[in-house]
Amino acid sequence: MLELWVILTPILLADVVNPVLFAFMVYAVGTDRPLSNSISALLGHTAAYLSFGIILALSFNIIKAGLANPKPVDYIISLIVGILLLWVAWRSRSKTADKKDKPQVEELTPLKSFTIGAIINIIGLPFALPYFAAVDQILKAELTVTSSVIVLVGYNLLYALPFLVVPVLVMMMGENSRPVLARINEKVDRVSTYLMPLLLGFVGMALVLDALLYFTSGKGLF
């Protein structure tokens, strides 16, 4: 299990750089229900991500169950995801976060925030690529169903953890948290412009190398 988390940690670091979710949570702080709306947005995003992960895992297992030798399938998936990650890293190397993506909502409620948080997850396909890699690594570990679900839930909780800074600052500072969060959001936006391509490229290269080693020597990196 520990070895699996050694592999999942860099994937998680690449996955968690999501300026769109953070920007919306900061936006939610500016509404009349800053705490409930920001928490609801995070809950909606997390619920969608966990559900998506379970569906992915079941889909991978169904595909592998119909094949005589399931092991190479894991590495084929790794190779495809790795190449896609490298492509996204290359495409995003000079792009900045699109400010127009911020949802414009006249009146925000916790239910709307939950829904928008889930939608941000669904439409954020480039950010889901590391998640494909994480699910694939969990399946390759050949854990029990219960252990796999526990690892997947743990991954999603760790993903959500950095975003809790938004409601925590709201609880601690109240109205004074808005300018602080706005500054943090600007820095996250700026850093993600450079950090995202590097992290995605690193994970992508590792997955491609893992698959190539398996197909040439019979033993992968992970």
Side-chain angles (χ1 to χ4, degrees):
M1 185 78 74
L2 183 60
E3 291 180 357
L4 176 59
W5 278 108
V6 170
I7 300 169
L8 290 179
T9 299
I11 296 176
L12 177 62
L13 291 175
D15 199 12
V16 80
V17 183
N18 190 339
V20 180
L21 174 60
F22 193 85
F24 177 68
M25 291 184 68
V26 172
Y27 172 79
V29 169
T31 64
D32 57 347
R33 300 175 183 175
L35 192 58
S36 59
N37 283 338
S38 59
I39 291 176
S40 295
L42 183 58
L43 288 175
H45 190 280
T46 303
Y49 222 20
L50 180 58
S51 301
F52 184 50
I54 292 173
I55 292 170
L56 271 178
L58 291 174
S59 300
F60 287 171
N61 275 330
I62 290 171
I63 293 171
K64 290 192 294 183
L67 300 173
N69 186 6
K71 196 65 177 178
V73 175
D74 293 316
Y75 290 93
I76 291 172
I77 293 170
S78 291
L79 182 61
I80 294 171
V81 173
I83 292 171
L84 287 173
L85 282 169
L86 289 172
W87 179 77
V88 171
W90 175 259
R91 290 275 297 175
S92 62
R93 73 192 188 286
S94 60
K95 290 183 179 180
T96 56
D98 190 352
K99 303 295 183 182
K100 295 179 182 179
D101 284 342
K102 185 187 292 184
Q104 299 297 320
V105 183
E106 292 182 1
E107 183 181 353
L108 207 59
T109 64
L111 180 59
K112 286 182 180 178
S113 297
F114 184 93
T115 303
I116 293 173
I119 291 172
I120 288 172
N121 174 264
I122 294 169
I123 65 176
L125 293 179
F127 297 104
L129 286 173
Y131 202 39
F132 274 94
V135 172
D136 182 47
Q137 294 301 319
I138 292 171
L139 293 176
K140 277 204 295 188
E142 297 182 351
L143 305 173
T144 63
V145 174
T146 302
S147 296
S148 297
V149 171
I150 290 173
V151 172
L152 191 60
V153 170
Y155 180 97
N156 279 269
L157 291 178
L158 288 172
Y159 179 95
L161 191 60
F163 297 97
L164 286 176
V165 69
V166 176
V168 168
L169 282 178
V170 172
M171 286 188 290
M172 292 175 60
M173 301 177 64
E175 293 287 330
N176 295 329
S177 65
R178 294 183 183 182
V180 175
L181 286 169
R183 288 196 295 271
I184 294 174
N185 186 40
E186 289 178 5
K187 291 181 179 179
V188 169
D189 192 21
R190 194 178 304 116
V191 170
S192 67
T193 302
Y194 302 99
L195 190 60
M196 173 70 78
L198 291 175
L199 290 173
L200 292 179
F202 172 77
V203 174
M205 284 189 292
L207 291 176
V208 170
L209 181 60
D210 181 37
L212 293 177
L213 282 175
Y214 175 80
F215 289 120
T216 56
S217 68
K219 186 176 181 181
L221 241 153
F222 308 129

